[in-house]
Amino acid sequence: MSQKEPQPMYDVAVVGAGPIGIELAVALKEQSVNYIHFEAKQIGYTMSWWPRNTPFFSTSERIAIARVPIQSVHQGRTTGEEYLVYLRMIVEMFDLQINTYEKVISLERDMTGFSLRTSTLSGERSYRARRGVLAKGDMDQPNWLGIPGETLPHVTHYFDDPHTYFRKRLLIVGGKNSAVETALRCWRAGAEVALSYRRAELNERVKDHLRPDLLAQIENGNIKYYPETVPVEITPEYVVLQPLSGGRSDGAEPIIHPTDFVVMATGFRADMSLYEMAGIKLEGLRRVPHCDPETMETNVAGLYLAGTTAAGEHQERYRIFIENSHEHVAKIVQHLTGQRPFRLGANPARNYELALAQFEAN
């Protein structure tokens, strides 16, 4: 009877292959760290479900990773499709080994490191690593409102293509950048668009090139605007909108808005189950993972955070992006190896620092 071979022990297990997870992999490989890398879907999965031809708000040099510039024929902002091409090129260029379609479903600390269990297309597997890095982002699932009809077939939290709504009535719920851009693109594609937002005014962070455009279309009657309203019920024929005053129902009669489709642009949130399973402390209403800002190590020894995952379950006001997460990679690799990684962010000729206030204004 043959004995079962012992599991190999990796130095580091990385969970998540978005841009910061990939940049971390480049840094670990270049310092000869024996790591293993997991991604529940395909690399850059978040960008894969973006609306077609949607550019980043950040300029290309701010979202470049591993000192590899993003080049294009237009020298403009990079679309989601272009960025996925770029990420594939980075993986090919550095020959990164990433276990895609392998979701980490269990992460536990023991005396010598971490035990991981994963789910693949062909079954479950198990691994061992001395240290771990969670770089899986904060957009695992929608912010559900929990109202009747939210799961009907004509309702979606994921805007795909304006063509879907050509010559159809579309209600968009939300008042931030995604909602505003969806409204404008669908109206220009030939949809009859209405917008419901819980506040009286559009979110103050709506981009400068979007706000006046939407306000002009509202003023001209091209897009219907329902300020200070929230949907309370969705049916196949209409949506019931409840008027608010100061964020609360003011007792006014509900508005019945007939529509063919509903896009819920209400944001997204992270799945924190892996963090809880590993024993990471989640603090405050946003359930922000506890970590040392100097090293990105959590309260669980040997377990680190990188990228937007450090912001908690959701970001009401976005403060952590790709462009200000490169330093997470630097801190983690410095703490693990004693050496700061060379390949971070943009080509040095186009690299520059921004204060948080400037990020929020971008």
Side-chain angles (χ1 to χ4, degrees):
M1 181 175 175
S2 62
Q3 290 186 339
K4 186 177 180 181
E5 292 186 7
Q7 288 180 312
M9 174 68 86
Y10 293 93
D11 291 332
V12 181
V14 179
V15 181
I20 297 303
I22 291 173
E23 185 169 56
L24 175 63
V26 172
L28 292 174
K29 183 170 183 177
E30 293 212 322
Q31 296 202 25
S32 300
V33 175
N34 179 28
Y35 74 94
I36 187 165
H37 197 172
F38 302 100
E39 168 55 51
K41 301 288 187 179
Q42 186 51 274
I43 66 165
Y45 176 67
T46 296
M47 276 68 74
S48 72
W49 52 255
W50 276 18
R52 302 294 180 264
N53 301 307
T54 297
F56 280 80
F57 289 124
S58 301
T59 53
S60 61
E61 70 278 2
R62 304 303 301 171
I63 57 173
I65 62 175
R67 288 199 174 190
V68 179
I70 300 174
Q71 291 292 331
S72 66
V73 296
H74 51 72
Q75 293 80 50
R77 295 175 190 262
T78 304
T79 66
E81 291 91 337
E82 290 171 331
Y83 199 62
L84 289 175
V85 172
Y86 172 74
L87 293 181
R88 294 199 301 270
M89 185 265 294
I90 294 289
V91 172
E92 295 270 348
M93 177 179 176
F94 294 100
D95 193 22
L96 303 176
Q97 303 305 308
I98 303 173
N99 292 20
T100 55
Y101 299 100
E102 185 164 359
K103 182 179 181 180
V104 177
I105 57 176
S106 175
L107 175 63
E108 296 180 352
R109 186 80 166 88
D110 58 30
M111 295 296 292
T112 58
F114 294 91
S115 298
L116 299 93
R117 190 159 50 90
T118 67
S119 175
T120 74
L121 298 175
S122 59
E124 292 189 1
R125 298 175 185 170
S126 57
Y127 301 87
R128 302 271 300 133
R130 293 182 179 86
R131 297 177 180 86
V133 181
L134 295 175
K136 68 181 202 63
D138 62 350
M139 301 180 76
D140 294 310
Q141 55 200 2
N143 278 324
W144 297 95
L145 299 188
I147 61 175
E150 194 173 4
T151 59
L152 287 171
H154 70 297
V155 183
T156 182
H157 286 262
Y158 299 90
F159 171 52
D160 183 11
D161 194 321
H163 179 75
T164 303
Y165 309 109
F166 174 64
R167 292 199 169 184
K168 290 297 179 181
R169 298 169 299 177
L170 171 65
L171 175 69
I172 299 163
V173 178
K176 297 183 180 179
N177 285 298
S178 295
V180 172
E181 187 167 16
T182 299
L184 290 168
R185 290 185 65 182
C186 290
W187 171 69
R188 289 198 163 94
E192 180 184 317
V193 177
L195 183 69
S196 165
Y197 188 42
R198 58 193 170 89
R199 296 177 179 171
E201 304 290 339
L202 295 175
N203 187 275
E204 66 273 12
R205 282 181 167 70
V206 171
K207 303 299 180 181
D208 291 341
H209 68 284
L210 295 175
R211 179 186 294 274
D213 191 357
L214 180 68
L215 293 178
Q217 307 318 324
I218 291 172
E219 183 177 350
N220 289 323
N222 295 323
I223 293 176
K224 176 69 175 176
Y225 183 42
Y226 293 107
E228 292 191 289
T229 61
V230 293
V232 293
E233 183 183 0
I234 302 172
T235 77
E237 293 85 25
Y238 59 85
V239 176
V240 181
L241 299 173
Q242 180 60 54
L244 305 176
S245 178
R248 297 184 179 182
S249 174
D250 62 1
E253 285 293 316
I255 299 166
I256 306 300
H257 179 78
T259 193
D260 299 306
F261 292 96
V262 182
V263 171
M264 306 289 284
T266 54
F268 300 90
R269 63 180 57 235
D271 177 0
M272 306 302 286
S273 57
L274 204 59
Y275 302 72
E276 293 174 313
M277 189 182 304
I280 297 174
K281 294 178 182 177
L282 304 177
E283 302 171 333
L285 293 176
R286 292 189 294 111
R287 307 218 298 159
V288 178
H290 179 88
C291 77
D292 182 344
E294 298 302 316
T295 64
M296 302 307 294
E297 187 175 20
T298 70
N299 59 282
V300 179
L303 187 56
Y304 300 79
L305 304 175
T308 57
T309 187
E313 191 171 48
H314 66 97
Q315 297 192 64
E316 181 66 26
R317 298 177 65 172
Y318 276 82
R319 299 171 64 86
I320 300 181
F321 315 83
I322 297 170
E323 57 190 277
N324 62 352
S325 294
H326 305 296
E327 195 61 24
H328 295 178
V329 175
K331 291 174 179 179
I332 292 168
V333 175
Q334 176 82 39
H335 199 241
L336 290 176
T337 70
Q339 299 181 59
R340 183 179 173 87
F342 171 74
R343 291 189 171 276
L344 287 178
N347 183 304
R350 284 176 289 281
N351 198 12
Y352 53 92
E353 297 298 324
L354 289 175
L356 178 59
Q358 292 172 286
F359 279 112
E360 293 177 339
N362 267 357

